[in-house]
Amino acid sequence: MSKKDDNYSHEAVPHSEKKGILSLSIIMLSLTFFSASMWAGGTLGTGLSFNHFFLALLIGNLLLGLYSASLGYIGAKTGFTTHLLARFSFGLKGSWIPSFLLSITQIGWFGVGLAMFAFPVSKATGLNVYLLIALFGGAMTLTVAFEGIKALLYLSIIAVPAIAILGCYSVWIAVNSIGGLSSLMAITPKEPIDFTTALTIVIGSFISAGTLTADFVRFGKRAMSVFIITMVAFLIGNSLMFIFGAAGAASVGQSDISDIMIAQGLLIPAILVLGLNIWTTNDNALYASGLGMANITGLSSKTMSILNGLLGTLCAIWLYNNFVGWLTFLSTAIPPIGGVIIADYLFNRQAYKNLANGSKQQINIHAIIAIIVGILAAQFLPGIVPINSVLGSAFCYIVLTQLSKQYSSSRGKK
């Protein structure tokens, strides 16, 4: 690895570079303060009753937090990125599959966030939306390419309190515009959403980034502190973003966050604050996607972040117009990866002390089969789609691995 790769994309984070609780808390809150969650919250706000909305939010973020915190714990304990962790369960070249899937989804989120920012700016200024996407996409790409994890921290220090203030003010306007909290609670959805679908939206809207939690918290000094920080970030940060979106959507009857802000007379502050927030989350996405592609190509994660930023910028409009379809894809294809990584770590912790152990096998077919089983479980089993996929892949991986060990042991005795 090049000495200039301070993202440590090809090795464990050295102890000298480990960070404290405050820095990691800011980064994780920034990660969960995702504007697309406001959009998803708007969908739930127009499709669920008040009580069902908060129940879906609590259960969804609790499950999402446990999943993400488990992966964060593993990342902090080992110092490895998600993609280096995948080498132990998928094999050296087998890890290219999860790296590719995760990187592509993060490039997708980058494009969605970029368009979410460009459209309201275009409405306010009259500037061409394609020009804005090109300008902002380039600026966001350069930020993370040259500053890496430091850029995420510096931007987050400003973005987290700013979005919290704007969101609370938006909720206050929404509540007062419809006659108080009791009126908001009494609103009946015109097109109700099934509760399991609502849980899938809560979990699916962030399962991709949740699977990559290790990339951001591997810098943590204490693994248990990282676990707690991640749980708090999802229970508070992601929940707040859903509430911000849902309150506005329930009051104006629209789920698009830019339309909500326009209706509330908050277009200009929304452009400034949401723009900064999207900047941080987009940099998170590029940072993670760069690490994934670095695992495949062997190149610097910074180089891959630049290329991924260009691709996300080119596809931004299409991704924005296919947001629901993107969530469906995330809900089925990504969670099995985390399920396999968690399952393998639980049974093979000692192996994770040395990265060389993740290179002893080129491709682990058991992990690939487990991914397929996880996707099938999401498609055909009743219940919550992302949870079915995580549990399906983890269970399948454990069974196949244990059967393989028993078979090898029986042959050795002969």
Side-chain angles (χ1 to χ4, degrees):
M1 187 196 77
S2 170
K3 293 182 179 180
K4 294 182 179 179
D5 185 9
D6 52 7
N7 287 337
Y8 302 101
S9 50
H10 300 291
E11 65 177 0
V13 175
H15 184 73
S16 60
E17 295 299 318
K18 294 282 187 173
K19 302 183 183 300
I21 293 176
L22 181 59
S23 296
L24 292 176
S25 297
I26 293 172
I27 290 174
M28 283 307 299
L29 281 173
S30 169
L31 183 68
T32 56
F33 271 43
F34 185 26
S35 297
S37 293
M38 295 177 72
W39 193 353
T43 301
L44 264 61
T46 56
L48 292 175
S49 66
F50 185 88
N51 290 335
H52 283 165
F53 168 79
F54 277 98
L55 184 61
L57 203 58
L58 176 62
I59 296 174
N61 276 316
L62 180 61
L63 294 173
L64 185 60
L66 286 170
Y67 168 77
S68 303
S70 297
L71 290 167
Y73 177 92
I74 298 171
K77 196 74 174 177
T78 62
F80 298 143
T81 67
T82 304
H83 315 283
L84 295 182
L85 290 173
R87 291 185 182 184
F88 293 86
S89 49
F90 288 86
L92 181 61
K93 293 184 178 179
S95 68
W96 295 357
I97 296 174
S99 288
F100 178 77
L101 289 173
L102 289 166
S103 296
I104 288 297
T105 57
Q106 290 307 297
I107 294 169
W109 279 124
F110 177 86
V112 169
L114 183 57
M116 285 181 66
F117 183 40
F119 275 114
V121 173
S122 179
K123 290 178 183 179
T125 63
L127 294 174
N128 183 279
V129 69
Y130 292 97
L131 174 63
L132 291 171
I133 286 175
L135 291 174
F136 291 127
M140 292 175 183
T141 300
L142 291 175
T143 303
V144 73
F146 289 107
E147 292 297 329
I149 197 73
K150 293 180 181 178
L152 305 184
L153 178 59
Y154 297 151
L155 288 171
S156 300
I157 290 173
I158 303 173
V160 169
I163 192 65
I165 293 170
L166 176 65
C168 289
Y169 185 59
S170 175
V171 170
W172 182 80
I173 292 176
V175 171
N176 282 280
S177 67
I178 59 176
L181 184 60
S182 58
S183 298
L184 181 66
M185 295 173 64
I187 293 178
T188 302
K190 295 180 180 180
E191 298 181 7
I193 298 175
D194 180 77
F195 190 74
T196 55
T197 301
L199 285 177
T200 296
I201 291 175
V202 174
I203 299 172
S205 65
F206 219 98
I207 197 72
S208 174
T211 304
L212 288 160
T213 302
D215 291 350
F216 304 100
V217 298
R218 61 199 164 102
F219 289 87
K221 292 180 179 179
R222 297 178 178 84
M224 186 51 65
S225 296
V226 164
F227 184 92
I228 296 171
I229 289 169
T230 304
M231 284 296 301
V232 171
F234 278 96
L235 288 173
I236 295 179
N238 201 39
S239 294
L240 282 176
M241 296 303 285
F242 268 85
I243 293 170
F244 295 160
S251 64
V252 303
Q254 301 180 74
S255 60
D256 191 303
I257 190 61
S258 61
D259 291 333
I260 293 171
M261 292 296 178
I262 290 173
Q264 292 182 328
L266 296 175
L267 181 60
I268 301 302
I271 287 174
L272 297 175
V273 177
L274 289 180
L276 180 60
N277 174 254
I278 289 172
W279 199 306
T280 61
T281 51
N282 270 13
D283 278 3
N284 283 327
L286 278 191
Y287 177 77
S289 69
L291 292 173
M293 287 302 183
N295 181 52
I296 297 173
T297 64
L299 298 175
S300 165
S301 61
K302 292 185 178 181
T303 299
M304 298 313 304
S305 292
I306 293 174
L307 296 176
N308 292 344
L310 293 174
L311 180 59
T313 300
L314 291 173
C315 299
I317 298 294
W318 181 86
L319 291 164
Y320 181 84
N321 292 328
N322 291 274
F323 183 68
V324 175
W326 193 252
L327 279 182
T328 302
F329 169 72
L330 293 178
S331 297
T332 57
I334 300 304
I337 296 171
V340 169
I341 291 174
I342 293 171
D344 186 75
Y345 181 78
L346 289 175
F347 285 87
N348 302 288
R349 295 185 188 182
Q350 295 302 316
Y352 285 75
K353 293 182 178 181
N354 190 339
L355 183 58
N357 293 329
S359 305
K360 291 182 177 179
Q361 190 174 14
Q362 292 297 304
I363 298 176
N364 185 359
I365 192 65
H366 298 154
I368 296 173
I369 293 174
I371 291 293
I372 296 172
V373 170
I375 293 174
L376 293 175
Q379 291 290 334
F380 298 108
L381 292 182
I384 307 168
V385 173
I387 299 302
N388 288 345
S389 60
V390 170
L391 296 180
S393 64
F395 180 75
C396 177
Y397 182 78
I398 292 170
V399 170
L400 289 177
T401 301
Q402 294 306 310
L403 287 176
S404 178
K405 288 181 178 179
Q406 290 178 11
Y407 176 73
S408 298
S409 177
S410 63
R411 288 194 64 183
K413 290 179 180 180
K414 291 180 181 180

